[in-house]
Amino acid sequence: MRIAVTTPMGHVGRHVTTMLIRAGVRPLLLARSPEKIPQTVRSHVDVVQADSTNPDQLAAATHGVDALYWVDPSVLSADPLADYAAATHAMGEAISANRIGRVVFQSSVGAEKRHGVGEIDGLAATEVALDGLDVDVTHLRCGYFFTNLLLDVEAVRQGSVQTVLPPDHAFSWVAPRDIAEVATLRLLNTAWSGHRIQAVHGPQDLSWQQVAEILSVQVGHPVRVEQISDEAMREQYLTAGMPPGMADAVLGMSTGLRDDFEPEQPRSLATTTPTTLTSWIHDELLPEL
């Protein structure tokens, strides 16, 4: 079975790549910048240069592919939803041209709302497009990535993290490695078919207050959480260099899920994964600090 992996060096994709290698598969990596693939990986994979928004490149790159791990590429953009739409169109053309039979799509909790969740709306549109194709597809509805804390390293160092959510509002947090494990098992398992939803909720729901308490213990100094206004957060995004459309889309991923939202799939044995925030902090955050 020929398996292709997009964003092979991303937070999830790099783990999918190594898990497939350990499973005895030689994956095909679709990379915009092949030179960024580490030499330690190259002898175990095939690499093709492909821009995920270019239909011709993507169709040529996926010739002979049986299964595809797909991630909508996230880039700094004035209109991220338009970029997602372009990537979705290119992906659809490649799937149809090459008759790719199986896709595992990295989506997000919140995509079930379809509209009103900022950048997640682009993932929802990809789900709809994939469901319209003659392909077996699993949509991974992932929780909030632990790795988003890497964007707040300086804030953690200074002892204060900010959010627009109520500090006691609990929601799913997940390690990208756990998402990769679910994705890889789905890619290798040929027993399922049709259109599937698979939530990936991490080990437990956490509020920002609980996250701050865990951080305080693990980093060795107090870390507090501060709720700020939507306007203040948007201004921070703009100051950091985000175009206005991108700032609105990123902010919407939080504001669209804070009022009476419940994921379509509840927490269960099938949707709960093992890696705790504490262990992830030791492995990835503390070295950055």
Side-chain angles (χ1 to χ4, degrees), residues 27-243:
L28 173 66
L29 307 187
L30 308 181
R32 183 175 301 195
S33 303
E35 68 277 4
K36 294 183 180 179
I37 306 296
Q39 289 299 323
T40 53
V41 174
R42 283 182 172 274
S43 62
H44 301 280
V45 302
D46 296 318
V47 183
V48 177
Q49 184 171 18
D51 183 333
S52 294
T53 62
N54 186 312
D56 293 335
Q57 280 190 14
L58 203 57
T62 55
H63 181 71
V65 165
D66 302 297
L68 174 66
Y69 166 70
W70 179 263
V71 179
D72 281 342
S74 182
V75 295
L76 192 64
S77 167
D79 191 351
L81 297 188
D83 291 340
Y84 281 7
T88 299
H89 170 72
M91 174 203 59
E93 292 289 303
I95 289 171
S96 298
N98 293 316
R99 301 191 178 191
I100 298 172
R102 304 165 64 75
V103 176
V104 174
F105 171 54
Q106 183 181 301
S107 188
S108 172
V109 166
E112 55 264 59
K113 288 187 70 172
R114 294 308 192 216
H115 299 287
V117 201
E119 199 169 344
I120 295 173
D121 289 357
L123 305 179
T126 303
E127 287 192 13
V128 171
L130 281 166
D131 286 343
L133 299 176
D134 183 20
V135 60
D136 295 328
V137 58
T138 293
H139 306 297
L140 300 183
R141 296 262 180 84
C142 307
Y144 191 77
F145 284 24
F146 290 166
T147 45
N148 288 328
L149 289 173
L150 295 174
L151 302 174
D152 291 325
V153 166
E154 190 56 37
V156 172
R157 187 177 284 120
Q158 298 299 322
S160 178
V161 292
Q162 296 180 327
T163 178
V164 298
L165 298 175
D168 61 353
H169 173 77
F171 54 101
S172 60
W173 288 65
V174 63
R177 188 195 177 282
D178 287 3
I179 299 170
E181 182 177 86
V182 176
T184 303
L185 291 172
R186 282 281 175 168
L187 287 167
L188 295 174
N189 175 14
T190 59
W192 62 273
S193 62
H195 300 160
R196 303 292 187 94
I197 303 294
Q198 173 68 56
V200 192
H201 288 318
Q204 66 181 121
D205 289 359
L206 294 169
S207 69
W208 272 103
Q209 183 59 50
Q210 290 171 308
V211 170
E213 292 167 0
I214 293 170
L215 285 168
S216 297
V217 172
Q218 300 305 318
V219 305
H221 64 254
V223 178
R224 65 184 183 89
V225 60
E226 178 187 4
Q227 185 179 7
I228 64 174
S229 69
D230 297 353
E231 294 76 15
M233 184 65 80
R234 183 177 188 274
E235 188 59 37
Q236 288 188 18
Y237 292 154
L238 294 173
T239 301
M242 286 187 188

